[in-house]
């Protein structure tokens, strides 16, 4: 069994990006974050993204807005960043407070600065297999892990569990592309899927993006399959100082021994998301310099 760890892959990507950034000393990539409110998880995520950016020479900005902000005022903030030539990437940290429309907000970001890849134009570009598309960071990271571990995907059956805009749907689109490390036969399963285990057992590559700790058990996985666990779930753990631990969607201990390869949680896909955000930012910056 091969363990597909996120850290070496993410580090290799960041090193390559730092080199690309260093090639043009006259300009620096800049990513702007918009955070609405003080949700602790959002504070943590934005801070860690900013830290990584700084390490590889990407400038970052942070606009913190009150959680009472109106949709129009949020649009005005986005419009100002869209118009600022010094800003190459814009990320509005989700989740947004309930009174704000997340879809309209993502669509307000200029497609050419949409480093999260949630704008409808970039989703359209992904469907059209246009290489200029910014692809959502987590599924893009999954493909990158597969690529750097030279896992064959052509003609293979990829089963994705989950149909979210952030992970499941773009993952399915990526693996069905007519491209290297794609060309797969893709099945998408979700909460209404019947006979889930029967389908997942057919997977050569199984991607779990459900959001339920340990949902994928041994009997759902074909021996010799590659398993990519996207899930990040908090589970109670009285033995840890925090009172919880992070677990994936896959029962790692029982599934891993029968796999060809598997990603751990933590230490797997999670580390790729930030690396791919940096990759999208450098791509946006390079496009703006052309
Ligand atoms: P989501 O809640 O938007 O989507 C979950 C999907 O799972 C849905 O499409 C739903 O239909 C499906 N699902 C739910 N219950 C199911 C069931 N019983 N059987 C089959 N399908 C079922 O979540 P998301 O944003 O796609 O995230 C999924 C998981 O990935 C979460 O644990 C999240 O924390 C994690 N995640 C990790 C990263 C990362 O950086 N590694 C990034 C985003 C999300």
């Amino acid at each position: 069994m091969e363990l597909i760890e996120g850290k070496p892959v993410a580090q290799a990507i960041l090193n390559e990006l730092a080199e690309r950034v260093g090639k043009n000393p006259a300009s620096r990539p800049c990513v702007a974050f918009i955070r609405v409110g003080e949700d602790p998880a959002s504070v943590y995520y934005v801070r860690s993204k900013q830290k990584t950016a700084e390490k590889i020479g990407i400038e970052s900005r942070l606009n913190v807005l009150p959680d009472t902000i109106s949709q129009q005022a949020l649009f005005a903030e986005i419009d100002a960043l869209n118009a600022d030539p010094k800003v190459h990437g814009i990320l509005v940290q989700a989740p947004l407070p309930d009174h704000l429309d997340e879809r309209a907000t993502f669509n307000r970001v200029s497609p050419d600065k949409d480093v999260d890849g949630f704008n409808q134009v970039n989703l359209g570009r992904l469907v059209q297999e246009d290489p200029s598309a910014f692809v959502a960071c987590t599924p893009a990271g999954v493909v990158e892990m597969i690529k750097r571990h030279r896992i064959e995907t052509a003609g293979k059956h990829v089963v994705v569990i989950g149909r979210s805009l952030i992970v499941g749907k773009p993952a399915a689109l990526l693996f069905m592309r007519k491209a290297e490390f794609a060309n797969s036969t893709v099945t998408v399963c979700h909460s209404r899927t019947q006979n889930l285990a029967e389908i997942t057992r057919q997977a050569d590559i199984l991607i779990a993006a459900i959001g339920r700790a340990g949902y994928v058990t041994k009997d759902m996985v074909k021996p010799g399959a590659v398993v990519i666990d996207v899930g990040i779930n908090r589970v109670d753990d009285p033995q840890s100082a925090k009172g919880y631990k992070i677990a994936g969607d896959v029962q790692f201990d029982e599934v891993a021994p029968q796999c060809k390869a598997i990603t751990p949680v933590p230490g797997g896909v999670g580390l790729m998301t930030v690396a791919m955000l940096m990759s999208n930012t450098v791509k946006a910056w390079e496009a703006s310099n052309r």
Side-chain angles (χ1 to χ4, degrees):
M1 187 271 295
E2 182 187 0
L3 192 62
I4 307 177
E5 288 181 290
K7 203 169 182 180
V9 182
Q11 196 53 56
I13 291 168
L14 293 174
N15 292 345
E16 289 160 20
L17 292 172
E19 217 176 294
R20 274 159 66 186
V21 171
K23 276 195 183 137
N24 185 355
S27 149
R28 267 179 87 187
C30 174
V31 57
F33 296 96
I34 294 181
R35 199 187 78 214
V36 181
E38 297 298 328
D39 170 56
S42 295
V43 172
Y44 171 81
Y45 284 133
V46 171
R47 192 181 297 141
S48 75
K49 288 167 188 172
Q50 286 193 284
K51 269 194 207 156
T52 306
E54 195 184 321
K55 276 188 200 149
I56 61 167
I58 295 177
E59 211 178 288
S60 74
R61 290 191 201 170
L62 171 60
N63 291 4
V64 180
L65 306 173
D67 58 11
T68 50
I69 193 164
S70 69
Q71 187 72 63
Q72 285 313 313
L74 176 57
F75 281 167
E77 293 284 337
I78 296 171
D79 291 348
L81 294 171
N82 282 342
D84 187 338
K86 290 202 187 83
V87 172
H88 308 102
I90 301 169
L91 185 148
V92 184
Q93 184 64 45
L96 294 174
D98 288 345
H99 70 281
L100 297 171
D101 181 340
E102 228 164 64
R103 182 166 59 186
T105 303
F106 293 147
N107 287 340
R108 192 77 174 199
V109 175
S110 161
D112 298 330
K113 298 188 179 188
D114 171 37
V115 286
D116 242 348
F118 299 154
N119 181 294
Q120 59 192 16
V121 172
N122 281 308
L123 287 161
R125 287 174 179 161
L126 173 59
V127 174
Q128 290 188 337
E129 304 192 17
D130 176 343
S132 74
F134 290 106
V135 178
C137 300
T138 303
V142 168
V143 172
E144 209 55 39
M145 288 175 112
I146 296 258
K147 189 171 156 183
R148 289 178 192 240
H149 279 261
R150 315 289 312 166
I151 290 167
E152 183 58 75
T153 58
K156 301 292 180 190
H157 190 183
V158 172
V159 176
V160 182
I161 319 178
R163 57 177 163 183
S164 73
L165 201 63
I166 294 173
V167 190
K169 223 175 268 178
L173 288 166
L174 283 167
F175 281 102
M176 72 169 85
R177 280 175 312 152
K178 208 171 181 177
E180 223 191 336
F181 300 103
N183 275 324
S184 313
T185 302
V186 178
T187 302
V188 180
C189 300
H190 46 77
S191 52
R192 298 296 189 92
T193 297
Q194 291 179 355
N195 306 324
L196 180 67
E198 216 170 273
I199 300 167
T200 59
R201 271 199 301 271
Q202 293 169 31
D204 300 308
I205 300 172
L206 180 61
I207 300 174
I210 313 160
R212 288 188 175 208
Y215 193 77
V216 176
T217 49
K218 188 177 160 189
D219 58 302
M220 295 169 72
V221 180
K222 177 168 77 174
V226 173
V227 176
I228 308 290
D229 189 352
V230 182
I232 296 182
N233 309 290
R234 271 188 185 197
V235 293
D236 291 341
D237 180 13
Q239 270 149 30
S240 108
K242 291 183 203 150
Y244 68 87
K245 64 177 180 180
I246 299 297
D249 287 347
V250 177
Q251 292 273 359
F252 184 88
D253 292 346
E254 63 173 56
V255 171
Q258 70 183 42
C259 291
K260 179 165 184 260
I262 186 167
T263 61
V265 178
V269 178
L271 298 168
M272 294 299 299
T273 303
V274 179
M276 298 316 290
L277 173 67
M278 300 303 137
S279 172
N280 280 348
T281 303
V282 172
K283 178 175 167 170
W285 169 69
E286 286 173 341
S288 79
N289 286 336
R290 249 177 243 133

